């Protein structure tokens, strides 16, 4: 018997009761869980019903306050007004004729294209597409309210007729209610007809019928599939997809429509691919056949204002009956249009220009130049034309960041030199060695700019440019001088440069200030907030260097007397391959820029052609055109109201520095003036070291022999050489001086004769009929002097002298080196330095104008004594006639006379001997040589 089994009936009953109680306890736990879930479910349902009730109530309230359906508003677009800064109306939208097309004349294929793009379930819903709405709700939960719309075509008709693009719950509720009512009062065909004729196509063109004629010059029934697809895709962003202005964007949008048509089985894949293969520009109206706009003032400005609204999300606000407040200054706009209309400002009829004028303090665009003979909603050269900026980008990518991030002074030393790893060259193909950052800026040196960029780093450079509104992406070395892949517009450059003139505060350039809705009370502010883009010290130091661009640098022709202006020039180049391939001249360029500013206005100007392969060929009206346009417009818009000068902030201090010092040193009273420059520093960053004048080392020089003479002894057939020499007057000099003598016969190679410590030498075995040139050089230890030389010609027989040629037949050997006027020191007023046969005339030249050239020893193989040449930066030398006494004829000048001067330490004689028997005369003259 099991020991655990109860052995009495009473015990067994008690055990059974205990087990039942335990079982009941265990069965109660699941009931508690089920009860909790049921409670939560009931709560959720109740809360959901409450939300639904609240939502329904709110919807009912919004619906009750919705505007009434007005058939005139449903069918006709509303006119909006555009105002200038003085609240004067400059443009009214919706005034141009609109072609109304009834439903039965709309091609079915065009309807399919529109519905596949805008509302593929149009004929299946009752104004609100719940399937589409569900997808939009999920998208908005993921990305925020308003991130994706669920508007049906019916809702779009309502919105375009009664509401703005404002994304609020109230508007969406009222829009849905009115869409439902519209579906109850009008047929689907009538609603589609409303949409078809009311939708904005571009600018102030409404309806697909108008768009067909405007873009293609065709009736609707003449349109091909690619043309229909392009029109069907435009309402999403009418101005952005304008094929006249943005053909690439228009083609991408058209191809999306074709894909949607195929996706919804409206066309086959083959039809889709065939249509995609046709360029969107293939059937557009040529420019000469396009509709001429009405006589509307300020068309280029209206264009950028409308584009700005599109980018802000107000794609068809022009049809909403609103008032658009702009920053347009009519006087400034007229000044811009006047400059662009003046053909004398341009080198050809085809060259173009774009210009943007902004308020330096607010960033408001007060005027634009959309191009020469600009037409409304065409290619706008102020905003649409984006090109390489050339050197105008240097303050933004190179020098600005160097001051902002590295605390460089305007006197920072940068070595302009040929550098490994830098392929670029300077425009003059020269290098200037150590120069200040200031000089590198105003002379627009390329190599220092690249070196600065590399010190700054591409990350800092991009960050600095981005803070100024430039969408800089990847940067490389060529971007440092504006030749990379980051193109910009005049609008962007004007905004960036304005920050330099506004103490480092950047406000994005903008034309539209606000939108006033139909009620006249509600306003939408579109003016961007100002942001600090850089320290005020950076802004002022860049400005101070850019002042010098107009006073002593590449932008002098943009300067206006008495006006404090800062600015930067820029020019881009073709590659060697492009020049060869396109047969472009050496000095031709694709783009020219100037961006400049005062405390009131900033103007950026671009010049060139729409197509980059069409070059600017000259300077006046070409490469210099942006500077000329800047000067003309700035002068006109500031007439009678000279702007204030730029003010140095307390964060900047000024101190004299030693030019070229590395690291930078402060100048002292002993610093030579030519080494001093007053430069700017970020306060607290002055150099600690100061210039200390070094004691000059005494340099011992060895003078050349003087008074070198050669006399011919016919009896012994010898030539006696003699000379004088002055030893160095120095306590440290104790070496013996010797003289190395060499000879050249008939212009042949020089032959060494001897080295002697005497001051004379006899040369034997002289043969008549030859010319002997002797050279004597002094030597002492490691010191060697310049040579002294003399020439003696020995003739065997007497010849009848030729007559001296007329002055007009004589050579003017310095002519090629003369820049300005000539001042000759010779008695006959010319530079006669060539000797002719049997003539013993010596004419010594003075100096030529502003040149530093001196020609010596130009003798012919026949008789004749050479005169001396001396030049001197525009000062007259003294020309003396040679004679048999052997006196020197000097051409002397000041210390700055150049590389060649006439003096007694470097002599050259030209002697001629002629008789019935071999003989010689004493030297007629002793002249100076350049050591050759």
């Amino acid at each position: 018997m099991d020991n655990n089994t109860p052995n009495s009936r009473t015990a067994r009953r008690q055990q059974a009761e205990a087990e039942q109680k335990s079982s009941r306890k265990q069965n109660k736990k699941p009931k508690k869980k089920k009860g909790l879930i049921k409670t939560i479910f009931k709560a959720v349902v109740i809360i959901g019903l409450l939300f639904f009730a609240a939502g329904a109530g709110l919807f009912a309230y919004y619906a009750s306050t919705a505007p009434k359906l007005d058939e005139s508003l449903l069918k006709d677009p509303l006119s909006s007004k555009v105002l200038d800064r003085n609240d004067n109306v400059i443009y009214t939208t919706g005034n141009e004729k609109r072609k109304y097309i009834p439903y039965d004349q709309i091609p079915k294929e065009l309807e399919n294209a529109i519905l596949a793009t805008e509302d593929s379930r149009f004929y299946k819903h009752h104004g609100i597409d719940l399937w589409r709405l569900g997808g939009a709700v999920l998208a908005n939960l993921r990305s925020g309210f308003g991130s994706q719309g669920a508007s049906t075509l019916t809702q779009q008709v309502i919105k375009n007729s009664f509401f703005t693009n404002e994304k609020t719950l109230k508007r969406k509720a009222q829009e849905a209610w009115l869409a439902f009512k519209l579906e109850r009062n009008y047929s689907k065909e009538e609603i589609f007809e409303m949409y078809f004729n009311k939708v904005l196509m571009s600018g102030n063109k409404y309806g697909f019928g108008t768009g067909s004629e405007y873009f293609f010059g065709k009736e609707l029934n003449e349109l091909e599939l690619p043309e229909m697809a392009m029109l069907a895709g435009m309402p999403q962003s009418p101005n952005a997809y304008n094929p006249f202005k943005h053909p690439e964007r228009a083609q991408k949008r058209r191809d999306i429509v074709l894909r949607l048509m195929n996706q919804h089985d409206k066309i086959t894949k083959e039809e889709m691919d065939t249509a995609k293969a046709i360029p969107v520009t293939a059937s557009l109206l040529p420019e000469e056949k396009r509709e001429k706009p009405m006589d509307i003032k300020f068309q280029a400005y209206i264009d950028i204002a409308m584009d700005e609204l599109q980018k802000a999300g107000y794609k068809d606000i022009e049809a909403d009956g609103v008032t658009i407040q702009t920053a347009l200054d009519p006087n400034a706009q007229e000044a811009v249009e006047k400059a662009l209309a003046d053909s004398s400002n341009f080198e050809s009829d085809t060259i173009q220009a774009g210009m943007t004028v902004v308020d330096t303090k607010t960033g408001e665009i007060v005027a634009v130049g959309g191009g020469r003979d600009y037409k409304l909603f065409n290619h706008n050269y102020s905003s649409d034309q984006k090109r390489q900026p050339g050197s105008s980008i240097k303050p933004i990518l190179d020098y600005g960041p160097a001051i902002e991030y590295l605390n460089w002074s305007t006197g920072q030393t940068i070595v302009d030199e040929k550098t490994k790893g830098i392929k670029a060259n300077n425009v003059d193909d020269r290098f200037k060695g150590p120069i200040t950052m200031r000089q590198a800026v105003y002379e627009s040196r390329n190599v220092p700019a690249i070196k600065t960029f590399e010190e700054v780093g591409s990350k800092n450079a991009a960050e600095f440019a981005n803070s100024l509104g430039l969408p800089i992406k990847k940067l490389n070395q060529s971007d440092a001088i504006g030749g990379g892949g980051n193109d910009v517009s005049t609008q962007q450059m004007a905004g960036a440069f304005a920050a330099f003139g506004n103490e480092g505060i950047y406000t994005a350039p903008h034309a539209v200030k606000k939108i006033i809705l139909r009620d006249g009370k509600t306003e939408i502010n579109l003016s961007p907030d100002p942001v600090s883009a850089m320290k005020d010290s950076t802004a002022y130091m860049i400005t101070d260097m850019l002042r010098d661009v107009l006073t002593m640098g590449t932008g002098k022709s943009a300067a206006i007397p008495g006006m404090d202006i800062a600015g930067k020039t820029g020019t881009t180049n073709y590659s060697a391959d492009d020049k060869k391939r396109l047969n472009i001249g050496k000095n031709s360029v694709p783009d020219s820029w100037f961006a400049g500013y005062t405390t009131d206005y900033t103007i950026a100007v671009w010049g060139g052609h729409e197509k980059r392969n069409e070059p600017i060929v000259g300077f006046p009206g070409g490469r210099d055109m942006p500077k000329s346009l800047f000067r003309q417009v700035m002068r006109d818009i500031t007439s009678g109201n000279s702007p204030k000068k730029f003010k140095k902030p307390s964060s900047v201090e000024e101190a004299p520095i030693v030019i070229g010092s590395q690291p930078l040193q402060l100048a002292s009273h002993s610093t030579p003036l030519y080494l001093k420059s007053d430069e700017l520093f970020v306060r607290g960053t002055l150099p600690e070291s100061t210039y200390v004048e070094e004691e000059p080392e005494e340099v011992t020089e060895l003078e050349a022999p003087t008074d070198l003479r050669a006399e011919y002894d016919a009896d012994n057939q010898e030539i006696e050489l003699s000379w004088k020499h002055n030893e160095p007057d120095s306590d440290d000099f104790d070496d013996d001086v010797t003289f190395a003598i060499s000879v050249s016969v008939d212009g042949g190679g020089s032959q060494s004769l001897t080295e002697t410590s005497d001051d004379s030498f006899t040369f034997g075995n002289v043969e008549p009929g030859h010319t002997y040139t002797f050279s004597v050089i002094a030597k002492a230890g490691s010191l060697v002097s310049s040579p002294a030389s003399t020439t003696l010609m020995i003739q065997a027989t007497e010849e009848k002298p030729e007559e001296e040629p007329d002055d007009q037949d004589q050579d003017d050997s310095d002519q090629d080196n003369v820049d300005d006027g000539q001042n000759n020191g010779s008695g006959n007023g010319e530079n006669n330095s060539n000797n002719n046969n049997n003539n013993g005339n010596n004419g010594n030249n003075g100096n030529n104008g502003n040149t530093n050239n001196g020609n010596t020893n130009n003798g012919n193989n026949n008789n004749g004594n050479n005169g001396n040449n001396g030049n001197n930066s525009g000062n007259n030398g003294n020309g003396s006639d040679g004679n048999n006494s052997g006196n020197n004829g000097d051409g002397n000048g000041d210390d700055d006379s150049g590389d060649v001067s006439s003096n007694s330490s470097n002599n050259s004689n030209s002697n001629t001997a002629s008789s019935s028997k071999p003989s010689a005369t004493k030297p007629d003259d002793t002249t100076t040589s350049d050591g050759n």
Side-chain angles (χ1 to χ4, degrees), residues 104-124:
D104 59 6
Q105 294 181 20
I106 299 174
K108 190 64 179 177
E109 196 170 26
L110 179 55
E111 181 181 3
N112 289 337
I114 295 170
L115 293 180
T117 306
E118 297 293 337
D119 188 358
S120 62
R121 291 171 45 81
F122 175 67
Y123 284 104
K124 296 179 181 179

Side-chain angles (χ1 to χ4, degrees), residues 245-246 352-355 369-370 378-388 487-493 590-591 593 606-612:
K245 290 185 63 176
H246 309 292
Q352 275 289 357
M355 182 187 305
N378 282 348
H379 185 78
N380 195 315
Y381 285 93
S382 70
S383 55
D384 299 332
Q385 188 79 348
K386 293 182 173 64
R387 296 287 273 270
Q388 292 177 336
D487 296 349
V488 294
S489 68
T490 65
Q491 186 171 315
Q492 292 170 327
M493 290 296 277
D591 309 284
W593 287 83
W606 166 87
H609 293 83
E610 182 177 358
K611 296 180 180 178
R612 192 176 185 275

Side-chain angles (χ1 to χ4, degrees), residues 72-73 127 270 346 358 436 442 551-552 572 589 621 628 669 672 692 798 815 859 873 916:
S72 63
L73 294 178
E270 184 180 356
F346 305 94
V358 304
T436 62
Y442 70 71
T551 57
M552 64 180 75
T572 63
V589 298
S628 299
H669 294 297
V692 178
E798 183 179 5
Q815 190 66 39
S873 298
S916 57

Side-chain angles (χ1 to χ4, degrees), residues 141-159:
L141 288 174
R142 288 192 301 266
S143 307
F145 182 75
S147 62
Q148 179 175 316
S151 295
T152 63
L153 191 142
T154 309
Q155 287 175 282
Q156 291 185 53
V157 171
I158 293 297
K159 181 179 71 68

Side-chain angles (χ1 to χ4, degrees), residues 569-586:
T569 55
T571 306
T572 63
N573 292 299
Y574 293 105
S575 67
D577 290 341
D578 284 344
K579 286 187 176 182
K580 184 177 180 180
R581 178 173 55 85
L582 300 172
N583 194 26
I584 292 174
K586 179 182 178 182

Side-chain angles (χ1 to χ4, degrees), residues 277-408:
I278 301 174
V280 77
T281 56
S283 56
L284 291 177
L285 274 178
E287 189 166 355
E288 63 273 11
K289 292 185 179 181
R290 294 174 191 172
E291 178 183 322
K292 303 300 180 186
M294 298 172 62
D295 187 16
I296 301 171
K297 295 183 69 175
F298 313 140
Q299 295 182 28
Y301 195 95
I302 293 168
D303 182 23
I304 66 163
M306 296 300 104
D307 269 356
E308 202 170 287
L309 290 170
Q310 293 274 331
K311 293 173 183 176
Y314 301 95
K315 65 179 183 179
D316 46 13
I317 193 82
E318 304 99 302
D320 289 344
V322 300
T323 300
I324 301 165
Q325 178 80 59
T326 73
L328 171 72
D329 181 341
N331 294 330
Q333 186 64 33
E334 288 173 354
V336 170
E337 293 180 2
K338 175 185 173 184
L340 293 178
D342 186 352
S343 60
S344 66
N345 286 328
F346 305 94
E347 70 176 14
S348 69
D349 292 335
T350 58
I351 194 170
Q352 275 289 357
M355 182 187 305
T356 300
V357 185
V358 304
D359 185 306
T360 300
K361 299 180 182 66
T362 66
E364 294 174 352
I365 301 174
V366 299
V368 297
R372 302 173 66 188
D373 195 26
Y374 180 79
K375 297 295 184 290
L376 189 63
F377 303 122
N378 282 348
H379 185 78
N380 195 315
Y381 285 93
S382 70
S383 55
D384 299 332
Q385 188 79 348
K386 293 182 173 64
R387 296 287 273 270
Q388 292 177 336
S391 293
S392 63
I393 202 68
K394 290 175 181 177
I396 297 171
L397 289 183
D398 309 330
Y399 302 114
I403 299 173
E404 181 75 6
Y405 302 116
L406 306 179
N407 284 330
W408 277 17

